Amino acid sequence: MHDPFYRNLATSRSALFLDGWLKFNEEKWGYKPERVVFQIPGKELPRLEGVFYLNKRGQVVMPPRNPYLPLQFMPTPTDQPYRLYNQWLEVSKLLAEDLIKRGFRGTVSFPPGFIDGRSFQWLGLDISIRYTFITPLPIDRSLIDKRVKNRMNKAIQLGYTIDLSRKWETLQNCLEKTEDAKDFSYLTSAQDFARLDELLGEKAFRIYICNNSKGEAVSGRAWLFMENGISIAWSAGTDRNDIKNGVNQLLFSRCVEDITTNGGAFLDLCGANIKPVANAKAAWGAPLVPYITLTNDSIPQKVFRTLVPKKIRTKLRPFLRGF
């Protein structure tokens, strides 16, 4: 926690805290968001702020398409490692106790930067570790793989261009190219993007489209932006016919430039747990960062996840709102 990089992550606010994002999750998935604060009675600091999503039974859950439950740690002004550790243990114990009291279902993940899970372990919870890439902004381009730079140059030479966009159908078409190729679903639609635009606005809900030399959209990304905080690389999709031309690399680079120019502090690439995806993200030179997960599956949930094919589970998702 005293390492400057991890401390900055833990004390920064992410786009997952935005009011509009909480409202979207409530409308889309049927989970009630509740802002929570953990602090020692009579003390303003240390303080831990976060958001819990509650199902109809009052249990804590993590809605689909959310990488983590957001947290922000606020210690007293100190650089002493032992004080930072002790302050974190004080407030994280309160978090763990509240989580146990409410109960939680499925898997919940806490943000990168919160790497000390002892409070959960000491209360009998089993923690697991997963990984993501997070880069401070501006990105250090000296750390980028030369092959990435070569592909960006190829895309530029072939006439690909990048635009900020509010064309929801165009974005959805781009995402579906990757969904079809990889046989999965983002569980979102053009209507969802229009609603996110209403709730978050153009500044926070950033849409980028890559067009070929004919002006045809071939790749798109949707990011959640947080000024002076942690932005989220949320969704991406690309036409397979153009992917070898460097469009992913060019589009990602332009997205990073945009949020950097607008005052972003960190970018979370959201995941490094699938090998091919992790290899592509690693090429940008961002630090690999662990994050903590907790899992509490009931027997019916385990049976459902094990025996019901993923395609069917995806189709059933709209009928399971709030559960």
Side-chain angles (χ1 to χ4, degrees), residues 1 18-19 24 38 53 56 61 70 77 79 92 114 126 132 134 147 158 167 177 185 206-207 215 226 244 253 261 269:
M1 189 65 71
L18 292 169
D19 289 335
F24 173 76
F38 302 101
Y53 290 94
K56 292 181 178 181
V61 296
D79 292 321
S92 62
F114 296 91
D126 292 327
T132 187
I134 293 189
R147 291 171 294 183
L158 291 173
K167 297 179 180 178
K177 299 294 184 181
S185 174
R206 310 292 281 178
I207 304 301
M226 187 67 163
K244 293 184 179 180
S253 178
T261 300
L269 278 64

Side-chain angles (χ1 to χ4, degrees), residues 37-282:
V37 177
F38 302 101
Q39 57 192 143
I40 305 300
K43 293 184 178 180
E44 180 63 24
L45 298 175
R47 176 185 179 98
L48 182 63
E49 294 186 3
V51 175
F52 283 169
Y53 290 94
L54 307 178
N55 64 14
K56 292 181 178 181
R57 297 180 178 178
Q59 299 167 313
V60 177
V61 296
M62 196 167 73
R65 301 308 322 280
N66 281 250
Y68 328 102
L69 296 178
L71 291 175
Q72 183 183 21
F73 177 51
M74 303 172 190
T76 62
T78 180
D79 292 321
Q80 292 293 336
Y82 75 91
R83 288 183 177 172
L84 289 169
Y85 287 137
N86 289 339
Q87 289 179 25
W88 165 250
L89 289 174
E90 285 181 333
V91 293
S92 62
K93 179 176 181 288
L94 299 176
L95 164 65
E97 289 173 341
D98 191 44
L99 193 62
I100 292 172
K101 181 180 179 180
R102 295 172 187 260
F104 66 97
R105 185 178 65 80
T107 296
V108 295
S109 302
F110 298 111
F114 296 91
I115 56 175
D116 184 351
R118 292 174 296 169
S119 290
F120 302 104
Q121 292 177 320
W122 292 339
L123 288 173
L125 296 175
D126 292 327
I127 66 172
S128 298
I129 299 295
R130 304 198 78 192
Y131 299 91
T132 187
F133 290 104
I134 293 189
T135 180
L137 298 174
I139 193 169
D140 186 347
R141 293 190 173 270
S142 69
L143 300 177
I144 299 176
D145 189 323
K146 290 182 179 179
R147 291 171 294 183
V148 169
K149 298 177 182 178
N150 291 337
R151 288 170 184 161
M152 283 192 289
N153 290 333
K154 180 179 180 180
I156 293 171
Q157 292 169 2
L158 291 173
Y160 290 96
T161 57
I162 311 299
D163 293 320
L164 274 170
S165 174
R166 313 313 285 169
K167 297 179 180 178
W168 318 124
E169 293 289 348
T170 299
L171 172 63
Q172 179 64 17
N173 290 338
C174 291
L175 299 185
E176 287 176 357
K177 299 294 184 181
T178 292
E179 289 178 327
D180 293 342
K182 300 294 185 180
D183 193 25
F184 78 103
S185 174
Y186 281 119
L187 301 174
T188 49
S189 65
Q191 292 73 29
D192 290 325
F193 303 142
R195 182 58 177 148
L196 277 167
D197 182 56
E198 293 174 355
L199 293 170
L200 292 172
E202 185 174 357
K203 182 174 182 179
F205 187 49
R206 310 292 281 178
I207 304 301
Y208 309 90
I209 300 295
C210 178
N211 302 294
N212 62 19
S213 59
K214 298 178 181 179
E216 301 165 332
V218 298
S219 185
R221 291 178 184 260
W223 285 11
L224 306 175
F225 171 71
M226 187 67 163
E227 186 176 2
N228 298 318
I230 304 171
S231 299
I232 305 293
W234 188 52
S235 295
T238 301
D239 192 315
R240 300 295 104 174
N241 295 321
D242 296 85
I243 200 166
K244 293 184 179 180
N245 292 337
V247 296
N248 277 344
Q249 290 76 19
L250 179 63
L251 181 53
F252 183 86
S253 178
R254 294 292 188 267
C255 294
V256 171
E257 289 175 4
D258 175 65
I259 65 168
T260 302
T261 300
N262 282 279
F266 293 96
L267 173 66
D268 188 339
L269 278 64
C270 287
N273 302 292
I274 301 172
K275 186 175 181 181
V277 177
N279 289 341
K281 292 179 179 179

